[in-house]
Amino acid sequence: MSTSTSWKDALTSAGFTGDLVTPGDADYESALVRFAKNSQKKAGLVAFVKSPEDVSLVIKYASANNIPLVIRGGGHSSGGTSSTDGGIVIDLSRHLKSVRIDEAKRMGYAGGGATWATVDAEAIKHGLATVGGTINHTGVGGVSLGGGYGWLTGEHGLTIDNLLQATIVTSNGSILTVNETTNSDLFWGIRGGGSNFGCVTEFVYRLHPQRSHVFAGPLIFPVPRIAEVAAAAEEWYSNASEKEGLMVITTNKGPMGGPALLAVVFFNGDEEEGKRRFKSLFDLGPVKTLAAMIPYEKLNALQNDHTKYNQNYHFTGGIRTSISPDVAKKVFDKMLETTNAPSEADMKMVVIWEYHVLKKLASVSSDATAFPMRVQRPVTVMMVNWTGDDEQLTLDARQRLDAIKAFSDEALAPAFEEKGGKTELDTGYTNMEMGDPRSEEVARAIFGPNYARLQQLKKKHDPDMVFKTWYPIVPASTA
C-alpha cells in the first residue's frame, strides 16, 4: 500500500466526507492545476473538503503524522504557497465555494473556496457590493486575509475593513468563529496575517449599496506618450474622489503583439460625469476608447484577458509616492530593454501603476488590524508571463522581473525622499508577493510594527508552525 493510499484510508475511516484524490486517480492531475502553472507541485493527497469538520480531520491527521500541509482557495499564489511536493492539500475550491447574501442585513457569506466573480455576481443582484479583487477569478481567501485593494477601496477601504466575521480551523483542529467580540485577538490577526493561523472555511462581509452600472474600461495610447499619460494620471490623482480609480498598464506585448500603453479608468457613476472626471486623460486623445458603462459585475473582469489561468507567472510589486513623467518613461524603457534581451521563451511583462484613492484606508490605525501599511502609498504591480516549463526559463523570468523591480524602486526613491523618506509603515503588500513569501525574514519586515503581536498570536494558535507556507510568522517562544 502506498503512503498516499494509507493517508486516504485513514481519513476515510475517521469520517472524512469530501473527496480524497491521490496519484493515479482520474482527477489527480486536474486537482493540481493552479493559476500559475510554474507553482504546481505533485501533492501526495488532495483533500476536497466539504465542511469545517473535514478540515479539522485533515489538520489533526497531518499534524499527528508530520505531513506537510497547505491550503488552496483560489490557487492564485505564483510563489507556490497553495501547493506541496508530497504533502496534503486542503482544497476548498470544489465544495466550499458558494455565496449567500442577506440583503436585509447587508451581509455576504462566502465559502473559503469562492471566487470574487461569484461574490460580485450574487451581491449585485441585491444592489450590493464589497471590496474585492480586481481579477475576479482570484479566490476570496488570499485577498481577504492579506489586505485586499480593489476598485471600491476609495469608498470602503480594504477588503479586511469589510470583513465582519470568519470561521477558522486552527492548528489543533478547533473550529472557531472569529469577529470583534468572539476570539477577537484571532480576528485581528487574520486581517492581514494571512493563513498563518489556520484555514478559513467561511468569510462574512459587510456589503454596501452599489449602482448596477459603472463607467469603466481602457483608454489606449501610443507608447511614445507614456510621459504625458503619467503626467495626466498624476494630475487627476491629486484631486480624485473616493468614487474614482485608475490603472496605468504598460507591457511589452499588448493585444496587437507589440508594446502597449493603457489607462483603465473607473468611476462609480455615469458616463458623462466619468469623462469629466478623467478629462486630463481624455484630452490627450487616446487612439481607442473602450471605456463605457458596464454592469458592475463585469468591473473586476477587465484584467482577466492578460491574467489567464494555468500559465506561467511570477509577481512582485512596490509602493510609491508619485511618478514623474521622466521616471515613468525610464521604467517603461527599462521593461522593454529587459524583455527584449535574448530568451528561449516567449516572454510578456506587465507593469501596472495602480491609483486607488487611499484616504479611507489610511484613516484606520496601523494597529487596528494585522495589516500595518495604513499610509497613502499607491501600489505598483509587476508580472511576467512566459512559455516553456524548463527550470532555467523559470529562473530567467524571475531574474528579469527582479531586475525591473530593482530599477523601479531606485527610480522612485527620490520621490520618497522628497516626502521625508520611508517610514516603518511603508512595509509593502503581501499579496503582490513583494519578497519571498516563504521567508521568515521577509515576513518580519512586511508585518513591520505588528510583527511582535503576531508572534504572540502564533504562539497561542499555531506554536508548532503547522501553517508556514505564506510569510511564516515565528512563534514568540522560538523567535
Side-chain angles (χ1 to χ4, degrees):
M1 181 184 295
S2 70
T3 300
S4 296
T5 301
S6 67
W7 296 350
K8 186 174 185 176
D9 290 347
L11 287 167
T12 300
S13 298
F16 187 87
T17 64
D19 311 322
L20 297 169
V21 179
T22 57
D25 289 342
D27 55 349
Y28 175 73
E29 291 299 329
S30 63
L32 305 179
V33 171
R34 298 292 185 267
F35 167 68
K37 185 179 179 183
N38 51 294
S39 74
Q40 294 171 187
K41 301 172 186 175
K42 296 289 187 179
L45 181 146
V46 180
F48 288 101
V49 294
K50 283 189 173 180
S51 66
E53 289 75 19
D54 276 351
V55 175
S56 179
L57 282 175
V58 176
I59 290 174
K60 287 188 284 189
Y61 180 77
S63 297
N65 293 279
N66 296 313
I67 303 169
L69 186 67
V70 299
I71 303 164
R72 195 257 188 178
H76 248 259
S77 166
S78 68
T81 59
S82 64
S83 297
T84 173
D85 278 319
I88 295 177
V89 178
I90 296 175
D91 197 314
L92 307 166
S93 66
R94 182 177 289 183
H95 301 297
L96 294 180
K97 60 182 180 180
S98 64
V99 174
R100 175 173 62 88
I101 305 300
D102 186 329
E103 183 177 354
K105 293 183 178 180
R106 293 181 180 173
M107 294 165 62
Y109 297 76
T115 65
W116 287 109
T118 308
V119 173
D120 292 342
E122 291 302 312
I124 201 62
K125 291 176 183 177
H126 305 274
L128 300 169
T130 194
V131 182
T134 56
I135 298 171
N136 71 5
H137 51 70
T138 307
V140 298
V143 174
S144 300
L145 298 175
Y149 292 79
W151 289 114
L152 298 184
T153 286
E155 293 184 77
H156 309 306
L158 295 171
T159 303
I160 57 172
D161 300 329
N162 296 277
L163 183 62
L164 298 174
Q165 181 172 288
T167 301
I168 185 171
V169 188
T170 58
S171 65
N172 65 2
S174 296
I175 301 170
L176 304 176
T177 297
V178 298
N179 54 41
E180 289 285 6
T181 58
T182 303
N183 298 304
S184 58
D185 62 337
L186 194 51
F187 186 55
W188 177 89
I190 68 169
R191 287 177 292 164
S195 57
N196 267 288
F197 305 105
C199 176
V200 176
T201 58
E202 183 181 69
F203 297 89
V204 184
Y205 302 103
R206 178 187 296 111
L207 304 179
H208 307 271
Q210 173 59 46
R211 59 184 291 137
S212 63
H213 286 69
V214 299
F215 179 66
L219 311 180
I220 303 173
F221 294 92
V223 167
R225 303 196 72 180
I226 177 63
E228 295 168 84
V229 170
E234 292 289 323
E235 177 188 344
W236 159 81
Y237 198 44
S238 65
N239 295 298
S241 75
E242 72 279 0
K243 291 182 176 292
E244 300 165 56
L246 173 69
M247 293 187 187
V248 176
I249 301 176
T250 61
T251 178
N252 68 310
K253 286 183 183 289
M256 304 303 292
L261 169 61
L262 299 83
V264 180
V265 301
F266 163 67
F267 174 59
N268 202 359
D270 61 45
E271 182 169 352
E272 182 179 357
E273 180 64 13
K275 288 182 175 179
R276 190 186 71 78
R277 298 287 181 105
F278 289 97
K279 185 176 184 299
S280 62
L281 284 161
F282 277 97
D283 282 352
L284 291 179
V287 294
K288 194 168 188 178
T289 298
L290 299 176
M293 295 301 293
I294 62 171
Y296 171 77
E297 63 270 25
K298 300 295 184 183
L299 176 64
N300 288 325
L302 289 175
Q303 295 191 77
N304 286 7
D305 282 348
H306 65 254
T307 52
K308 294 180 179 178
Y309 216 87
N310 197 217
Q311 296 185 3
N312 292 323
Y313 294 102
H314 287 310
F315 276 84
T316 188
I319 57 175
R320 63 185 195 276
T321 53
S322 60
I323 309 169
S324 69
D326 180 57
V327 167
K329 185 177 186 308
K330 285 180 178 179
V331 173
F332 195 7
D333 289 346
K334 183 65 175 179
M335 178 186 66
L336 296 180
E337 175 190 320
T338 302
T339 52
N340 286 338
S343 172
E344 294 181 13
D346 183 17
M347 193 170 297
K348 173 183 177 179
M349 191 175 289
V350 180
V351 175
I352 304 173
W353 310 99
E354 291 190 351
Y355 288 92
H356 299 302
V357 175
L358 302 175
K359 292 177 184 177
K360 182 81 171 179
L361 173 157
S363 70
V364 178
S365 171
S366 62
D367 60 1
T369 64
F371 182 88
M373 200 172 67
R374 297 292 184 166
V375 288
Q376 296 188 55
R377 301 288 196 242
V379 172
T380 303
V381 183
M382 301 173 185
M383 177 196 84
V384 64
N385 166 222
W386 71 99
T387 58
D389 299 330
D390 184 86
E391 287 187 15
Q392 188 56 45
L393 296 179
T394 300
L395 177 61
D396 179 39
R398 177 80 256 177
Q399 291 173 337
R400 292 180 194 231
L401 188 65
D402 289 345
I404 192 63
K405 172 177 167 50
F407 183 88
S408 175
D409 286 350
E410 183 177 353
L412 291 167
F416 268 103
E417 294 306 315
E418 289 175 9
K419 298 287 180 68
K422 289 187 176 181
T423 72
E424 67 171 359
L425 300 183
D426 290 312
T427 54
Y429 182 35
T430 53
N431 283 345
M432 287 298 100
E433 302 192 352
M434 298 179 186
D436 184 354
R438 295 158 295 191
S439 165
E440 294 173 2
E441 287 306 309
V442 172
R444 184 183 298 273
I446 211 158
F447 292 122
N450 290 337
Y451 187 72
R453 182 174 173 185
L454 286 165
Q455 286 185 289
Q456 293 296 329
L457 273 179
K458 190 73 169 178
K459 178 181 178 181
K460 178 180 178 181
H461 294 287
D462 186 18
D464 297 323
M465 293 187 72
V466 172
F467 304 103
K468 57 185 178 183
T469 63
W470 184 92
Y471 296 97
I473 295 164
V474 179
S477 61
T478 57

